[in-house]
Amino acid sequence: MANKEQLAILKQGVAAWNKWREENPDAKIDLRGAKLDGLDLSGANFRKADIRGANFRNAMLVGANFNESILGIETGTVNVTDFTCSELTGVIFDNGFVEHVSYLFSGYRDIRFSYSILNYTS
C-alpha cells in the first residue's frame, strides 16, 4: 500500500514532488498500488521508488525518471504496474527490476533499460 503522505505530495504536482524529493533524498519511496491513472507526471523523479502494482494508465510520463525503481506485481496481489496507453517518451528505467509490467498501446521512444532485469512484460 502506497505511503499516503508521499501520494498526497505527488498529487500536488510534479514541481512539489520533485522539490520534496530534493529535500528528502534518503526517503524510501513507496507508491505500491497507487492510483495515478490519467495524471501528467512528466519529469517526475521516481528514482528508487517501489511502484509495484501502481496504475499509470493513460498518464503522461514524458522524461520521468524511474532509475533503480521496482516495477511489477505487488506482493500478494495480481495487480501489475500498468502503463497502458501512457506516454513514456524519454523515460529512464536504468538499473531497475521490471517484471509483470504492461505497456500496451503506450507511446514510447527513447526509453532506457540499461542494466535492468526485464521479465514478463507486454
Side-chain angles (χ1 to χ4, degrees), residues 71-121:
L71 294 78
I73 294 179
E74 184 178 4
T75 305
T77 73
V78 294
N79 295 329
V80 300
T81 304
D82 188 355
F83 291 105
T84 301
C85 298
S86 295
E87 177 56 55
L88 299 168
T89 300
V91 171
I92 300 168
F93 290 106
D94 291 353
N95 301 302
F97 183 73
V98 182
E99 183 173 46
H100 298 285
V101 176
S102 175
Y103 303 100
L104 294 174
F105 309 111
S106 293
Y108 49 88
R109 167 181 89 220
D110 301 323
I111 295 179
R112 258 189 9 214
F113 289 98
S114 299
Y115 304 104
S116 291
I117 298 169
L118 305 174
N119 290 319
Y120 309 109
T121 59

Side-chain angles (χ1 to χ4, degrees), residues 6 9-10 12-27 29 42-46:
Q6 293 173 359
I9 295 166
L10 180 58
Q12 291 174 26
V14 172
W17 173 255
N18 286 347
K19 181 179 183 220
W20 182 83
R21 291 294 314 264
E22 287 177 18
E23 293 169 354
N24 298 277
D26 297 324
I29 305 305
S42 296
N45 178 1
F46 294 109

Side-chain angles (χ1 to χ4, degrees), residues 10-60:
L10 180 58
K11 288 191 175 181
Q12 291 174 26
V14 172
W17 173 255
N18 286 347
K19 181 179 183 220
W20 182 83
R21 291 294 314 264
E22 287 177 18
E23 293 169 354
N24 298 277
D26 297 324
K28 183 176 178 181
I29 305 305
D30 183 355
L31 296 173
R32 290 175 295 148
K35 306 288 187 236
L36 302 169
D37 47 307
L39 297 179
D40 184 350
L41 300 170
S42 296
N45 178 1
F46 294 109
R47 186 172 186 271
K48 293 187 176 182
D50 186 344
I51 55 172
R52 290 175 287 175
N55 182 353
F56 290 97
R57 187 178 286 253
N58 296 310
M60 281 295 266

